Amino acid sequence: MMDQKWFEMPDVRRRKLNNAVWIPLRAAQTVESTDKHGYLGFREEFFGVGSIAVPLDKKANAETLGWQDIGLRYTHRGGMDGNRYVPADFFDGYGLNLNAVALVLAQTGNADDPPEWHLHQDFAITLRLKREGDLWLATEEGYIEVVRLRRDDDGSPNLLEIRAEHLKDYLCARGMALYISSYRNREEVIADVSHINWAEDPMREAFGGDRWEGRRTEVSEGGDPFGSSAAVMFLGREGIDVREDVPAIGPSDENIVYKHWSKKFEGKKLIRIQGELWRNEWVEAADQSPRVRGDNLPSSVFFVIDAKGTRCSADRLEGTGGWLWFRPEVIRAASNRRGGGLRWYTRNTGGVKNSPGSYLHFGVNMLGLVNIYAKDIGLLSEWEQQIWAGFNVSPEGGVSEELLAAQAAGRPADTQAPEEYLPKAFVLLNEATTAKFGFRLFREHADSPSLMANAHRFRATDQAGFFALAKDLARLIADSIDTASIQKIVAPPKGEKWGSLKSLEKVLAERIGPEKARSLLGPLVGIYELRHADAHLAGNHIDEGFELAHVDRAQPFVFQGHRLLQSCVSSLYAILEAL
């Protein structure tokens, strides 16, 4: 049983859509529904919304409209007004000359197809939104959700809402405000109403653009007014010969039978408590429109640019002529986003991007920190700058030598990153074993592309990340080797079991000898031992794994990750040469 406040809706009446993060443009939403309608225990809440975008000089005229004018009764369809065609999105306001626009167009359905709601194309195209299912994503802002559509179980739309920041930017550019009319109904069927103490029935309150009503109604089980009745009428004909080949009913009143009676609704007396709220309100435009109109706004993002901790606005980075320092975790935060990417140019330089477009040239310095030329950060959009600012640190360890060589001296380093050669090693080894033995050394599985894409040193920004990198490398190599095909070439002695790496070692031993084969496989065995640290306590096997993989645990984690990859790639290419 709900208390009186639930029907009076003080929670809803306090909130204003102009302050919300998400704004409903249209809604026909059953928020809650329990038990059978009209019977004891039934409770339901309904929320409906209709809206139009109105020119600022027409706001006073629009305020004469309400739920009956722009609510759910109003659907959208082009048609004729005299000799003038009126587009589906245009809303005149019944002679008020509003020149308003519906940002959501409701298309009626039929018996087989539910209705459909369409986001206005001008809004979607202007804000560069890409529709995926029932979401509209901002392709220039990291694919964040800007508009989302919710549906009932039968596929009917029930809520279309938009991110306020984007809506207000658009309204500002068009010189409009959004006029919203909403209706909310809360009702419950109960047996005892002693907890409801409204002085009047119905109870009415009006304030601002709101109108609220609360009422108590006696009903019979099923929801009909208690003690009421319904008139029933029957109309038919007598004397129709159903055996006629071509029966017909004439226009005369002959043989017409008319009966009528009344039916009284019976059942236990119950009480329906109902609270209704009609609300008209404005969602105002933003003061500036950086997205649509291209207004220049002062940046709210700052970066540390020197050892004194001086903080510089992103707007002024272009004139600093220096580099910025970031924690290495920033590379994953940037590249793992949709549209992001990571590539390598030399051993310690590469390119990274947050979204589709150009790569930022970065370098790794002697402490494992990431350097980016300050001007390049200053040219990013603000949402991208906010990501980078979260990882910005004071200068330490100097600027990456290889980045300086490329950007200042104009002489890129002649070094190589193991990350670039790891996928190539798999291709070459598969080609070699196919040509020599008739099978691919590494089997492909569903996770291979994602494992390969994440096999880079920036996975190893802490100890857990380092061990996770080792685990993924082991999955790519040891877990993917076609052991069964190898053992057709060199079979284990009876009673012995060889794993994938041991089997590969035996094949190599036939060509280069057991000792050299064991040496070539050593780093891969070390990586396999290190994988266990991701799930088990470290022990002697872990120490041995670091030694076999030639990883110095005193180095920064990013360098440990680099060395792990270097040992892995070197081992794979040595195996290729031996084969």
Side-chain angles (χ1 to χ4, degrees), residues 279-346:
R279 166 173 280 185
N280 301 317
E281 57 185 316
W282 288 99
V283 172
E284 303 293 347
D287 295 331
Q288 302 289 334
S289 173
R291 292 180 179 86
V292 179
R293 201 165 60 193
D295 296 345
N296 289 321
L297 302 180
S299 177
S300 61
V301 185
F302 288 79
F303 294 87
V304 178
I305 59 173
D306 59 30
K308 296 183 296 183
T310 304
R311 302 187 68 82
C312 175
S313 167
D315 295 335
R316 295 168 42 226
L317 287 177
E318 186 173 350
T320 60
W323 286 262
L324 300 176
W325 282 254
F326 301 91
R327 299 198 313 274
E329 291 87 348
V330 71
I331 299 298
R332 290 194 70 196
S335 63
N336 280 4
R337 303 178 68 86
R338 179 173 177 178
L342 174 64
R343 59 169 57 161
W344 293 90
Y345 306 142
T346 66

Side-chain angles (χ1 to χ4, degrees), residues 95 145 217 220 284 302 306 335 403 496:
E145 292 181 16
T217 307
S220 301
E284 303 293 347
F302 288 79
D306 59 30
S335 63
L403 187 64
E496 247 184 79

Side-chain angles (χ1 to χ4, degrees), residues 58-374:
K58 302 288 187 180
K59 287 179 66 176
N61 291 350
E63 288 176 349
T64 63
L65 303 174
W67 176 247
Q68 297 298 321
D69 306 303
I70 64 172
L72 295 176
R73 292 177 56 186
Y74 185 79
T75 56
H76 306 86
R77 182 180 179 183
M80 301 303 297
D81 181 10
N83 295 322
R84 180 175 67 109
Y85 176 77
V86 180
D89 68 326
F90 180 79
F91 186 84
D92 181 60
Y94 311 105
L96 294 174
N97 297 318
L98 288 183
N99 293 320
V101 175
L103 297 184
V104 176
L105 280 69
Q107 179 181 355
T108 56
N110 58 30
D112 291 331
D113 292 303
E116 190 57 83
W117 295 352
H118 303 278
L119 180 67
H120 200 296
Q121 284 185 321
D122 182 69
F123 185 90
I125 294 171
T126 300
L127 287 169
R128 299 184 179 90
L129 304 183
K130 173 183 173 64
R131 182 171 186 174
E132 293 186 350
D134 285 335
L135 299 176
W136 285 260
L137 312 177
T139 59
E140 304 296 317
E141 300 179 58
Y143 291 90
I144 63 170
E145 292 181 16
V146 175
V147 181
R148 55 196 184 193
L149 176 63
R150 304 287 187 251
R151 297 180 184 272
D152 293 328
D153 293 338
D154 66 354
S156 300
N158 63 42
L159 177 65
L160 192 147
E161 54 186 353
I162 181 171
R163 194 179 291 270
E165 181 182 355
H166 293 73
L167 171 64
K168 294 187 174 191
D169 187 300
Y170 179 81
L171 292 173
C172 175
R174 294 201 61 172
M176 288 178 154
L178 187 73
Y179 186 59
I180 294 180
S181 186
S182 64
Y183 168 74
R184 189 179 296 267
N185 176 67
R186 290 177 175 176
E187 63 178 275
E188 185 179 27
V189 176
I190 55 179
D192 179 18
V193 293
S194 58
H195 63 295
I196 305 296
N197 57 13
W198 294 330
E200 300 175 7
D201 197 358
M203 185 77 177
R204 293 187 173 95
E205 295 176 358
F207 46 92
D210 292 1
R211 176 167 63 91
W212 175 85
E213 292 185 8
R215 58 179 55 83
R216 293 160 289 196
T217 307
E218 294 182 348
V219 297
S220 301
E221 283 186 321
D224 297 298
F226 184 76
S228 64
S229 59
V232 182
M233 293 182 292
F234 169 82
L235 191 66
R237 288 179 183 267
E238 293 180 340
I240 300 297
D241 188 351
V242 297
R243 290 174 295 181
E244 285 190 35
D245 290 336
V246 185
I249 297 177
S252 68
D253 295 336
E254 295 178 4
N255 303 326
I256 291 179
V257 177
Y258 171 72
K259 300 176 183 180
H260 67 92
W261 63 93
S262 63
K263 172 180 173 57
K264 188 172 183 179
F265 296 115
E266 298 177 351
K268 184 171 65 173
K269 183 171 72 173
L270 301 170
I271 310 295
R272 181 176 66 190
I273 310 298
Q274 185 178 22
E276 296 178 283
L277 176 66
W278 294 265
R279 166 173 280 185
N280 301 317
E281 57 185 316
W282 288 99
V283 172
E284 303 293 347
D287 295 331
Q288 302 289 334
S289 173
R291 292 180 179 86
V292 179
R293 201 165 60 193
D295 296 345
N296 289 321
L297 302 180
S299 177
S300 61
V301 185
F302 288 79
F303 294 87
V304 178
I305 59 173
D306 59 30
K308 296 183 296 183
T310 304
R311 302 187 68 82
C312 175
S313 167
D315 295 335
R316 295 168 42 226
L317 287 177
E318 186 173 350
T320 60
W323 286 262
L324 300 176
W325 282 254
F326 301 91
R327 299 198 313 274
E329 291 87 348
V330 71
I331 299 298
R332 290 194 70 196
S335 63
N336 280 4
R337 303 178 68 86
R338 179 173 177 178
L342 174 64
R343 59 169 57 161
W344 293 90
Y345 306 142
T346 66
R347 180 180 58 203
N348 287 323
T349 68
V352 63
K353 61 177 181 175
N354 299 66
S355 61
S358 58
Y359 285 81
L360 289 174
H361 196 175
F362 73 86
V364 182
N365 77 359
M366 60 184 298
L367 297 180
L369 298 177
V370 172
N371 295 123
I372 301 279
Y373 193 53

